[in-house]
Amino acid sequence: MRRLFRNPVRLVPFAFLVPILLGTGLLMARWATIDHERPPVVTALFTATSAVSVTGMAINDTPNYWSDWGLLVITLLTQLGGLGILTVAALVILVVSSQLGLRNRLLVQAETAEFGVGDVGRLLRRIAVTVFACEAVMTALIAGRLWLAYDYPPGRALWSGVFHAVQGFNNGGFSLYSDGLLAFSRDPWVSLPLAVGTIIGGLGFPALFEAVREWRQPAHWAVSTKLTIWGSAVLLLIGFAGLLAAEWTNARTIGQYDVPGKMLASFTQIALSRTGGFSVLNIAALHEESYPLLIVLMFIGGGSASTAGGIKVSTFFLLAFTIWAELRGEPDVTVGHRRVANASQRQAVTVTLLGVALIALGTMTLLLLTEGVRFVAALFEVTSAFSTTGLSTGLASELPAGGQLTLTVLMFIGRVGPLTLGSAIALNTRRRLYRYPQEQPIVG
């Protein structure tokens, strides 16, 4: 048992597998569905995995299939999954740093808002306070809007506010409405709190805590914080401009909105598409050119040690800086007057290429198991599952059991894989007392 807790690589999968199995059992109870019939095992497993991995992808009409008790189970599993990934990520970083040399330990401690191994309790309390405070603010804004503007009864408004606040901050995507959040696409009092909460939850506690602490001196931020904060801002801006241009004349999405409505719906959808999984637009009605944009954003995901999935923003932009340095013939990769270690560059390449390989394999598997599926639709669903985003074109509900199990496995791998792989690489770092003769193979 002691060895299990010392090795975060072994701890991470179990930390998520146990609540998934427990959630599956709870969702298979008759009281979990509206018609009081036991759901199929695949349906319960898919939904529990989607909730714990904070994906939010559904294969049935959530509000018309699950009872209030079933929705409560989904809410609790999402909250548990969100807190779980933040807690496990914090412990992994601290445990990994404790097993490194003094120099690397100091570097890691500088990247984790000055928390040390002895500060685990304080760190976890700070994470919990941040989560619940953000969710409380989101709940108040959404519930108040539904009560005052949409004439919801107070109890129903509060329940809807709590449910969507938990889903939003934890980057889940389940909704109490059959068409997602389409009805609120032009309502800033509902869509913006969810978008902002999703962005904050997707930044990750190291970047978030340091950015808040050193908000007056962003030049002093650690490299990972700079990559996460500024990288997220760049992705939001590019995604917003791209989706706005692609859907400007699409009458099935934002084509009939006025200019402020187009801008609000486009920004909200991009903010939610990167990690959150809510849909304020009809995803199946998007123009073809919008799908590659969303696929790339989902694949990148959010910040490290956050509720978001994907290969992470810092990984993507570290690769971008590596490419830029190579094109310029620079001997080192530098970010903000700091030289990036070669080991970090190799880790970024490893995580990215393995992510690409998993998505390619998943897409091929989905195409083999299902006839008549478009390649773009299959790629979109697989990327959404792997990145734990949860957006869907509607294909997930039409897949056979084999296809749904494929997405289930991808959601689990996408949740635990990057963190497990990163900690495994860090703990497996070794030094050799010799080096082989060097050669330079031809590239390209």
Side-chain angles (χ1 to χ4, degrees), residues 206-392:
L208 180 61
F209 290 169
E210 185 177 21
V212 171
R213 189 182 69 251
E214 302 289 346
W215 67 273
R216 293 183 177 180
Q217 296 178 312
H220 294 170
W221 290 349
V223 169
S224 62
T225 302
K226 292 178 180 178
L227 290 174
T228 300
I229 299 295
W230 299 124
S232 297
V234 169
L235 292 175
L236 282 172
L237 180 60
I238 293 176
F240 164 67
L243 188 65
L244 188 64
E247 299 297 320
W248 187 271
T249 59
N250 188 350
R252 299 176 64 192
T253 55
I254 65 173
Q256 297 182 359
Y257 294 178
D258 57 10
V259 174
K262 292 176 189 286
M263 297 181 68
L264 175 62
S266 297
F267 171 78
T268 306
Q269 188 60 75
I270 285 299
L272 299 174
S273 296
R274 290 184 52 234
T275 58
F278 286 120
S279 57
V280 297
L281 301 177
N282 185 353
I283 301 300
L286 295 175
H287 281 158
E288 287 293 326
E289 54 268 29
S290 296
Y291 291 116
L293 174 67
L294 296 182
I295 287 172
V296 170
L297 292 176
M298 290 191 299
F299 178 71
I300 297 172
S304 299
S306 74
T307 56
I311 63 169
K312 303 300 185 290
V313 176
S314 56
T315 301
F316 174 78
F317 280 96
L318 179 54
L319 286 179
F321 277 100
T322 302
I323 294 172
W324 179 243
E326 189 65 26
L327 292 176
R328 297 179 63 190
E330 297 284 347
D332 299 315
V333 177
T334 58
V335 179
H337 304 291
R338 291 292 186 271
R339 179 167 54 88
V340 178
N342 291 332
S344 296
Q345 300 172 42
R346 294 196 302 270
Q347 290 169 16
V349 172
T350 302
V351 170
T352 302
L353 290 182
L354 286 179
V356 171
L358 280 171
I359 289 178
L361 180 61
T363 303
M364 183 177 67
T365 302
L366 217 59
L367 292 172
L368 288 174
L369 293 175
T370 310
E371 296 182 0
V373 175
R374 292 187 306 151
F375 170 76
V376 173
L379 177 61
F380 189 94
E381 301 291 322
V382 167
T383 305
S384 181
F386 169 77
S387 63
T388 68
T389 301
L391 286 179
S392 177

Side-chain angles (χ1 to χ4, degrees), residues 16 19 47-56 71-85 131 135 162-174 276 278 307 415:
F16 289 92
T47 305
T49 304
S50 183
V52 174
S53 65
V54 293
T55 303
L71 294 174
L72 179 61
V73 170
I74 291 174
T75 304
L76 294 176
L77 290 176
T78 303
Q79 186 72 83
L80 182 63
L83 285 173
I85 190 62
V131 171
E135 290 178 353
V162 170
F163 185 91
H164 290 97
V166 170
Q167 296 296 325
F169 186 84
N170 291 289
N171 282 235
F174 289 103
F278 286 120
T307 56
R415 181 72 283 170

